[in-house]
Amino acid sequence: MKPFLCTLLLLFGFSLQVNAEEPLSDYLKNTAFWHEGEVLTAPTSKYSAGYERYGYYRIEVAEDSLYTFTLIKDTSIKLIYGSPTKQGDIIWLSSNVNDGDPEKTVHQIQLKKGTYGIYISNSPEQPYEASYQVSDIISLYYLEPNNSRQEAIDIPVNTVIEQVTSSDDLYQSDYYRFTLTVPSLVKINGSVANKDYNSVSVSITNAEKNVYDFGRDLKAGEQWFANKGHVVEVLQPGTYYVSTFTQNRVYDRQYRFEIEAQPIENPETFKRGDSDTPIMLNTKYRGVISRNDDFSFTLQESKKIGVVVNSELAEENGLQMQLIKRDQQDLSKDIYIESDIYAKSNRVHYTYNLEPGKYTLILRSSFDRPQIDYTISVYDVPFSDITSKNAYVEEIMYLTDKGIIKGYEDGTFKPANSINRRQVFLMLSRDTNLQFKKIRPMTSFQDVAENSEDYTIITPFYEAGIIDGSYGKMQLSQSLTRAQLAKILVNAYNLKMQAPVADFNDVSKTHYAYHFIKILASNGISIGYKGNFKPNDPVTREHFSVFLARMQ
């Protein structure tokens, strides 16, 4: 009876199998074809072996099809695929008590076009009886045999792949293949149908058989994909293989999985922090944490260093940071500058005075989270009045590294000071992205000597129609309002209106800078303050840095 089948599964089964020492064609050349609808039967035997208990047949699959096998009592089948040059076991299909029917078990399997061998058996003192029906395939992405890399099925990414078999075979493997054309964030999502079973593991390797450390066990649940993939990898363009492996005999353990691939924008700034990935100072990198991310940087001389990590889920996901000074000869002498800093907000920022040497920055999540997107920057901070705590340190350091910002001779930046017109034009003149077209000749201004550096700085701006002056003066020492800056930036960078944006509460349609402010906002350069733009407020040096950094 079926109840004691579980203890006999390794001895009795329905199998596709071939004698490995003989070509399948010779092995089966005298066997009969088993036809659709034909019921195979054999009497009982009280011996542990004998022809009464074993049957050998062939099935000819004319085209890719879904085969439904019906097994009575303790009948089992092994399915074999082979030709004079290629052969091998495919799968066991056995009677099983878990299907709820004590008299028969129904199995489904999709088969590729070809000739298959059938090995059919039963338990002692039990007759066997089996039949099958053929119908159209229901999935393009699951066809047996797919038990090796050579038989791997090509699948698309971001598509649910469903196993179409109710086999209870032990140690069953399936292989799939997918291709990436661009660097991508990849993770595995999936589940199994049987809520009492979760031993289907999925892993990914590349064409060189390098294993990526994010294989995972699919979990059972009442809904597919109740548990999302929790490990993320950065994969480069190429061909990859997906293998599934089952470890238990459970009826109807059908799995579903999805290779979720998200193309990485600007991959040159995306880093995967594996094994002390080197990063450059004064550069913002993007990354994803699904376990530890390790980054390294080296200082040739003592520097003030600012570390900034931004993540919308930093605090919620228990983001932690460590900073270690490495001893190149003896790792036991590593010095922990910071150990296990927990994020108290979505922005982690620290400033250190560091000596020359190699440093490792480690980020990790203290909770089991599927994915934490973040940006990380390590800055060489040259200004005495700027630290990583400054809300705009990233923009200030970005422009400093580009040579647009230079600060004052005393080593300060004075971020809260109002910026004057001369400083604005000086910084803009250092932006290599700006290319002006001369539309008029330069003129003289009462407050700017024609042989001065200031006159040289403002000349291209005037000739391009960016600035006009006021009553014959340029007033370079005067501070600049936010409305005036909006006009200058829109004209200098030739910005055009993008997606529609809401009006600011404090900028009427009759305001002289209304049009410029709208264009600036539509390009994402300014977002305002709680619905206001504050057009008459003077622009501070740090706020100008933000405006200008967003123009890059």
Side-chain angles (χ1 to χ4, degrees), residues 329-365:
Q329 279 70 44
D330 187 353
L331 294 180
S332 66
K333 295 181 180 179
D334 287 351
I335 301 174
Y336 281 76
I337 309 299
E338 291 286 2
S339 179
D340 292 336
I341 298 174
Y342 284 85
K344 296 181 180 179
S345 67
N346 292 336
R347 186 174 187 268
V348 179
H349 49 81
Y350 287 89
T351 303
Y352 309 94
N353 292 309
L354 299 181
E355 299 176 351
K358 179 181 179 180
Y359 293 83
T360 296
L361 187 63
I362 301 174
L363 299 179
R364 67 169 182 259
S365 173

Side-chain angles (χ1 to χ4, degrees), residues 74 83 88 108 124 140 197 259 263 305 329 332 339 354 418 436 483 499:
D74 293 328
S83 66
Q108 288 187 323
L140 295 174
Y197 178 75
I259 302 302
I305 294 297
Q329 279 70 44
S332 66
S339 179
L354 299 181
S418 296
F436 296 136

Side-chain angles (χ1 to χ4, degrees), residues 460-527:
F461 292 93
Y462 181 84
E463 290 178 338
I466 308 299
I467 56 177
D468 295 307
S470 178
Y471 300 104
K473 295 183 179 181
M474 189 53 64
Q475 300 174 326
L476 293 178
S477 61
Q478 285 191 359
S479 60
L480 206 66
T481 67
R482 290 169 58 85
Q484 291 170 334
L485 179 62
K487 180 180 178 180
I488 291 173
L489 292 179
V490 168
N491 287 334
Y493 289 90
N494 194 28
L495 297 181
K496 305 299 181 183
M497 191 70 182
Q498 302 298 320
V501 292
D503 287 344
F504 290 106
N505 300 328
D506 54 354
V507 181
S508 69
K509 293 183 179 181
T510 59
H511 193 287
Y512 81 91
Y514 171 83
H515 180 66
F516 301 108
I517 293 170
K518 288 280 286 188
I519 293 177
L520 204 66
S522 75
N523 282 271
I525 308 303
S526 175
I527 57 177

Side-chain angles (χ1 to χ4, degrees), residues 45-231:
S45 172
K46 55 186 175 182
Y47 303 104
S48 60
Y51 72 90
E52 298 95 340
R53 292 183 51 247
Y54 300 96
Y56 300 95
Y57 300 89
R58 278 180 290 174
I59 290 179
E60 187 70 31
V61 178
E63 60 182 0
D64 298 350
S65 302
L66 173 66
Y67 276 67
T68 301
F69 292 93
T70 301
L71 311 180
I72 304 299
K73 297 293 186 178
D74 293 328
T75 304
S76 300
I77 297 175
K78 179 185 275 189
L79 200 60
I80 308 162
Y81 180 75
S83 66
T85 59
K86 179 180 178 182
Q87 59 189 35
D89 293 359
I90 295 177
I91 203 167
W92 276 92
L93 304 174
S94 302
S95 298
N96 197 295
V97 297
N98 294 323
D99 65 349
D101 188 336
E103 297 299 322
K104 69 178 185 299
T105 301
V106 178
H107 286 286
Q108 288 187 323
I109 182 172
Q110 291 195 158
L111 297 177
K112 298 176 183 177
K113 177 182 177 180
T115 300
Y116 295 81
I118 294 291
Y119 165 78
I120 184 169
S121 67
N122 65 318
S123 59
E125 301 185 359
Q126 292 289 334
Y128 70 63
E129 181 176 323
S131 62
Y132 71 85
Q133 299 293 324
V134 183
S135 56
D136 294 337
I137 61 174
I138 59 178
S139 173
L140 295 174
Y141 305 120
Y142 187 89
L143 286 167
E144 291 283 1
N146 63 342
N147 300 352
S148 67
R149 276 178 161 231
Q150 292 71 28
E151 300 165 331
I153 298 171
D154 290 311
I155 61 173
V157 297
N158 301 316
T159 301
V160 177
I161 307 302
E162 181 177 356
Q163 182 191 36
V164 185
T165 177
S166 53
S167 166
D168 54 1
D169 198 0
L170 183 64
Y171 305 133
Q172 169 72 13
S173 294
D174 295 324
Y175 284 82
Y176 305 87
R177 180 173 52 228
F178 68 92
T179 300
L180 298 176
T181 58
V182 296
S184 301
L185 284 175
V186 175
K187 65 179 178 179
I188 302 171
N189 302 322
S191 185
V192 291
N194 195 315
K195 63 183 178 62
D196 298 320
Y197 178 75
N198 64 1
S199 293
V200 177
S201 60
V202 184
S203 61
I204 292 180
T205 58
N206 64 9
E208 289 72 38
K209 298 186 178 181
N210 296 322
V211 178
Y212 288 90
D213 186 21
F214 68 138
R216 60 165 304 195
D217 288 341
L218 302 186
K219 302 300 182 181
E222 295 181 359
Q223 295 181 350
W224 294 113
F225 302 100
N227 302 282
K228 298 292 281 185
H230 63 282
V231 181

Side-chain angles (χ1 to χ4, degrees), residues 432-449:
T432 57
N433 293 325
L434 284 178
Q435 301 293 328
F436 296 136
K437 181 179 179 180
K438 182 177 178 179
I439 63 173
R440 63 186 180 184
M442 184 56 176
T443 188
S444 60
F445 293 94
Q446 301 174 24
D447 56 349
V448 182

Side-chain angles (χ1 to χ4, degrees), residues 251-318:
Y251 179 78
D252 195 24
R253 59 165 174 242
Q254 291 175 323
Y255 59 76
R256 287 182 179 180
F257 73 89
E258 172 192 34
I259 302 302
E260 183 180 323
Q262 176 186 351
I264 298 173
E265 296 182 3
N266 302 318
E268 66 277 3
T269 64
F270 194 97
K271 289 291 184 180
R272 188 71 171 102
D274 290 333
S275 303
D276 278 3
T277 299
I279 57 175
M280 297 175 58
L281 298 183
N282 304 320
T283 304
K284 180 185 286 189
Y285 295 100
R286 297 172 299 121
V288 173
I289 298 175
S290 57
R291 52 183 186 273
N292 288 0
D293 270 8
D294 299 358
F295 301 96
S296 66
F297 60 93
T298 301
L299 301 181
Q300 302 299 330
E301 57 183 354
S302 298
K303 289 181 179 293
K304 183 170 77 168
I305 294 297
V307 177
V308 181
V309 180
N310 290 298
S311 173
E312 292 183 0
L313 301 176
E315 184 176 12
E316 176 183 340
N317 286 320

